[in-house]
Amino acid sequence: MYLDFYGLKQVPFSITSDPQFFFESSSHREALATLLYGIREKKGIILITGEVGTGKTTLCKALLDKLDHNIKTSLILNPFFSSVQLIQAIIEDFGIRPDKKNKLALINNLNNFLIDVTLKGGGAVVIVDEAQNLTPNQLEQIRLLSNLETSKEKLLQIVLVGQPEIIEKLNQPRLRQIRQRISVKYNLSPLREEEVAEYVNFRLKKAGQADVKILPQSYKIIYQFSKGIPRLINILCDRALLCGFAKEKKVLDEEVFRICVEELI
Ligand SMILES: Nc1ncnc2c1ncn2[C@@H]1O[C@H](COP(=O)(O)OP(=O)(O)OP(=O)(O)O)[C@@H](O)[C@H]1O
Ligand SMILES: [Mg+2]
């Protein structure tokens, strides 16, 4: 691999959603601020949308790092289960061991946990990623969880994160109840053209500041290819590093990127 060649400690443009590499672009920063506000102010259900590869999963993980320690979290990355299994997964990610696995017992366990957390001055949030895949039944189940409350306040904040198709899904008449509960929304945008170089250099630095130079004209090509979508930027830059390694070049110019784009499309 090219790590030694460039003096890197880690792969800089991996396609996993590692929060250690979280770059606060203007849109990611606004999304985080929106989430922190919605959770702190107990706004009920928060909806975050974003096109494929814009960084939704990475944002979810970055959020976990930013929340106060007295906020308990449950992160569901792949909600491909039945609605009972969904509650079970939520409970288990909170670290609760359910007594029984029927729906009523699970909800009781969750309720007791939430009351306990709230009495201690904390809060709880469930983050469901890939929420565009939730079935109407699961969405209805989530709405019911958002009903858990004491006479004073809601016990559980819910964050739904998904591709824009989720909006169409929520527009179905039978889902109007959950739709009405969504009081905070944010749509994550790709990086702006002027943020691309910053993003690329941020990741290189995080990976151990490489002995590699990307010439300024290259960023135009990176932007044209990726339209600012981080996953596409990563795919292209990883390829360019590999290409440079094969040619024993530590200075990557427009030409290298142009060849890589041709190979990728
Ligand atoms: N703000 C960011 N900082 C650093 N890397 C990012 C950021 N946003 C996205 N990435 C990178 O882009 C890639 C795709 O991100 P991620 O998997 O979070 O996107 P996604 O929106 O969840 O995609 P999908 O719609 O396919 O679920 C990952 O490699 C991730 O590390
Ligand atoms: Mg994702």
Side-chain angles (χ1 to χ4, degrees):
M1 262 294 277
Y2 56 64
L3 291 187
D4 287 345
F5 176 70
Y6 293 117
L8 288 160
K9 294 193 186 71
Q10 295 181 64
V11 177
F13 301 107
S14 139
I15 53 162
T16 58
S17 50
D18 182 347
Q20 190 207 331
F21 282 88
F22 185 64
F23 171 75
E24 292 202 13
S25 71
S26 53
S27 185
H28 285 92
R29 189 175 319 119
E30 272 177 27
L32 254 187
T34 306
L35 282 164
L36 291 170
Y37 158 80
I39 293 167
R40 196 175 305 123
E41 299 297 320
K42 306 212 165 180
K43 289 288 185 186
I45 303 179
I46 303 169
L47 175 66
I48 304 287
T49 50
E51 283 295 346
V52 174
T54 44
K56 299 180 296 298
T57 303
T58 312
L59 176 72
C60 293
K61 293 183 179 170
L63 173 66
L64 297 188
D65 289 346
K66 298 265 173 176
L67 285 169
D68 290 344
H69 291 299
N70 64 352
I71 308 281
K72 303 289 175 210
T73 57
S74 173
L75 173 61
I76 305 299
L77 290 172
N78 291 300
F80 295 107
F81 344 90
S82 71
S83 60
V84 180
Q85 287 166 327
L86 178 65
I87 305 179
Q88 195 182 328
I90 290 172
I91 287 183
E92 287 176 357
D93 208 68
F94 271 130
I96 313 168
R97 285 234 186 96
D99 311 329
K100 291 191 195 131
K101 302 211 164 152
N102 67 66
K103 201 168 191 168
L104 194 65
L106 290 170
I107 295 198
N108 256 327
N109 281 161
L110 180 61
N111 200 28
N112 292 339
F113 168 79
L114 295 175
I115 290 176
D116 191 44
V117 166
T118 310
L119 284 177
K120 288 182 182 142
V125 50
V126 172
I127 304 156
V128 184
D129 194 13
E130 304 276 2
Q132 75 280 355
N133 293 326
L134 291 168
T135 62
N137 278 344
Q138 288 174 317
L139 284 163
E140 180 58 11
Q141 186 57 62
I142 286 175
R143 184 185 68 82
L144 294 174
L145 293 182
S146 81
N147 280 345
L148 297 174
E149 59 190 0
T150 62
S151 51
K152 285 205 211 95
E153 58 188 335
K154 291 266 179 221
L155 294 172
L156 186 60
Q157 304 307 302
I158 293 168
V159 179
L160 298 176
V161 181
Q163 290 163 10
E165 302 90 275
I166 192 175
I167 307 230
E168 260 164 63
K169 195 170 239 176
L170 289 167
N171 277 336
Q172 295 173 33
R174 64 171 161 167
L175 291 175
R176 64 188 187 283
Q177 272 186 296
I178 185 165
R179 192 166 69 235
Q180 276 183 3
R181 296 287 176 82
I182 299 172
S183 50
V184 178
K185 285 187 207 165
Y186 188 81
N187 183 51
L188 200 57
S189 315
L191 305 187
R192 295 206 221 114
E193 185 163 2
E194 64 274 19
E195 290 174 323
V196 171
E198 222 187 309
Y199 171 84
V200 167
N201 287 298
F202 172 84
R203 291 198 69 116
L204 279 172
K205 203 163 178 186
K206 280 274 164 195
Q209 193 49 39
D211 182 12
V212 53
K213 192 167 168 51
I214 297 179
L215 292 185
Q217 301 90 320
S218 316
Y219 293 111
K220 218 178 183 66
I221 298 174
I222 301 176
Y223 183 73
Q224 277 166 359
F225 170 77
S226 66
K227 297 286 180 289
I229 297 201
R231 185 179 292 129
L232 296 177
I233 299 177
N234 284 13
I235 290 172
L236 178 56
C237 289
D238 182 63
R239 188 99 181 185
L241 287 178
L242 197 61
C243 183
F245 170 61
K247 295 186 167 141
E248 296 190 16
K249 276 197 198 177
K250 291 184 182 177
V251 177
L252 306 179
D253 57 12
E254 246 177 304
E255 193 50 32
V256 171
F257 281 90
R258 200 163 277 138
I259 293 168
C260 292
V261 167
E262 273 166 28
E263 287 169 0
L264 286 170
I265 52 179

